[in-house]
Amino acid sequence: MKALITGATSGIGKKIAEKLSERGWELILTGRNEKVLKDMQEQFGNTEIITAELADRSEVMRVYEFCRDKNIDMLVNNAGYGLFGRFEDIDLDDEVNMINVNITALHILTKLFLRDFKKRDSGIILNVASVAGFMSGPLMSSYYASKNYVLRLSIGIHEELRRAGSKVSITVLCPGPVDTNFNNRAGVSFSAKPITADYAAEYAIKRALAGKLFAVPGLAIKAAAIGQRLVPHKLLAAIVYNVQSAKKNGSGEREQNK
Ligand SMILES: NC(=O)c1ccc[n+]([C@@H]2O[C@H](COP(=O)([O-])OP(=O)(O)OC[C@H]3O[C@@H](n4cnc5c(N)ncnc54)[C@H](OP(=O)(O)O)[C@@H]3O)[C@@H](O)[C@H]2O)c1
């Protein structure tokens, strides 16, 4: 069995790579950090690597072309990151790059691999969204919106596959806080106790191999994903604002909101 994993150099993606390798899978790993990719290749054996900047559409296509004749069994769309700040303050180019990685690259790879998987009626897509996908996220508005896209896209495709009686499956991972490099990059700290990347990866793989649509690790996050349905959108956004502002190292955001 062979998997392509994006964002394999760190955090959840790195752990998914380790765990699939332990299960005997061949891997194709991608990320920007060539040194980490080479170290992983040496560690796992049976691994190909391809560095790629997924904010660049031509690089996404290069990854697909590299893989298209290699009989990929599982596509793991994991690469992604967040940007913190008021919507008007976040640099436009930074934000468009984030949208390109979180949405456009995932969209392109999902479509192209889904076509290949459907032709042979087998294959697994594991898309990494977030619990953020279930709600609006003031102070990380575009990140939350990007994860809403991933979640909704995955649910829609799941229903199309179900109606077609397809053996191809799609799973969407929706974790809450996970202890990775994510917060450093977003410039925030945790306001709730994170789960480990190890736990998130193991849970995601089990759900994906079982053909389940949702992978929501941890009881508290499951409760949040279900409970948010009962809360009006504006109230939920106000709650998330407070959670997000607490993440910014106790910054004055909450004060300004009073
Ligand atoms: N950590 C959390 O609390 C949390 C919660 C919910 C969902 N998630 C989601 O989980 C996924 C993995 O994040 P993580 O927490 O494991 O964070 P992480 O440790 O920062 O890993 C992010 C990965 O994405 C890759 N990446 C980032 N920008 C890229 C780009 N422009 N081109 C190619 N690859 C890029 C990075 O590789 P290079 O640096 O080598 O490019 C890295 O391997 C993301 O989609 C994130 O939104 C995380």
Side-chain angles (χ1 to χ4, degrees):
M1 302 291 270
K2 195 181 283 185
L4 165 64
I5 305 172
T6 71
T9 58
S10 173
I12 299 169
K14 194 171 189 189
K15 281 289 170 193
I16 289 176
E18 280 175 25
K19 286 174 180 295
L20 287 178
S21 172
E22 282 162 17
R23 285 167 160 91
W25 284 59
E26 290 175 53
L27 301 174
I28 301 179
L29 306 178
T30 185
R32 292 167 306 172
N33 191 328
E34 190 171 15
K35 162 129 189 22
V36 175
L37 289 175
K38 281 188 171 156
D39 289 348
M40 292 174 79
Q41 184 176 36
E42 204 171 307
Q43 184 191 343
F44 301 146
N46 238 345
T47 298
E48 291 182 86
I49 57 173
I50 174 168
T51 52
E53 166 55 77
L54 294 183
D56 179 342
R57 183 175 167 172
S58 66
E59 295 266 288
V60 180
M61 292 307 295
R62 194 167 56 79
V63 170
Y64 173 69
E65 292 302 333
F66 182 79
C67 298
R68 73 181 304 178
D69 294 327
K70 294 186 171 162
N71 277 323
I72 300 291
D73 299 287
M74 189 192 296
L75 163 67
V76 182
N77 272 314
N78 162 75
Y81 60 99
L83 294 171
F84 183 90
R86 286 198 185 83
F87 182 72
E88 75 272 20
D89 293 336
I90 296 176
D91 180 79
L92 181 59
D93 288 339
D94 289 350
E95 199 166 42
V96 170
N97 279 338
M98 185 198 72
I99 289 167
N100 286 344
V101 175
N102 292 9
I103 295 180
T104 310
L106 177 142
H107 179 111
I108 291 170
L109 293 176
T110 298
K111 183 180 287 284
L112 298 180
F113 279 100
L114 181 65
R115 284 176 178 161
D116 295 343
F117 289 173
K118 279 205 79 176
K119 269 187 214 142
R120 59 173 215 238
D121 202 21
S122 75
I124 299 169
I125 297 172
L126 171 56
N127 283 342
V128 179
S130 166
V131 73
F134 292 102
M135 52 196 84
S136 304
L139 300 179
M140 286 187 94
S141 292
S142 49
Y143 173 73
Y144 274 60
S146 75
K147 294 303 179 178
N148 274 263
Y149 184 89
V150 175
L151 178 62
R152 298 294 158 192
L153 180 75
S154 305
I155 296 171
I157 292 169
H158 177 269
E159 182 59 14
E160 291 178 6
L161 290 170
R162 193 184 70 79
R163 296 283 175 137
S166 174
K167 293 199 179 78
V168 178
S169 67
I170 187 163
T171 298
V172 60
L173 174 64
C174 302
V178 187
D179 195 4
T180 67
N181 197 41
F182 179 88
N183 275 359
N184 285 341
R185 185 152 186 202
V188 295
S189 57
F190 285 119
S191 57
K193 194 171 180 290
I195 59 170
T196 62
D198 191 277
Y199 181 83
E202 182 63 28
Y203 188 80
I205 290 170
K206 282 193 177 135
R207 297 290 288 178
L209 293 179
K212 303 292 184 191
L213 171 58
F214 292 108
V216 184
L219 269 182
I221 299 302
K222 276 191 186 73
I226 294 166
Q228 57 81 28
R229 290 186 212 154
L230 306 171
V231 184
H233 291 303
K234 281 166 67 179
L235 176 59
L236 188 58
I239 294 168
V240 175
Y241 184 100
N242 285 336
V243 171
Q244 290 301 335
S245 64
K247 279 187 182 175
K248 192 65 184 173
N249 303 319
S251 77
E253 296 285 359
R254 203 178 290 177
E255 289 305 312
Q256 289 166 25
N257 192 35
K258 278 181 182 168

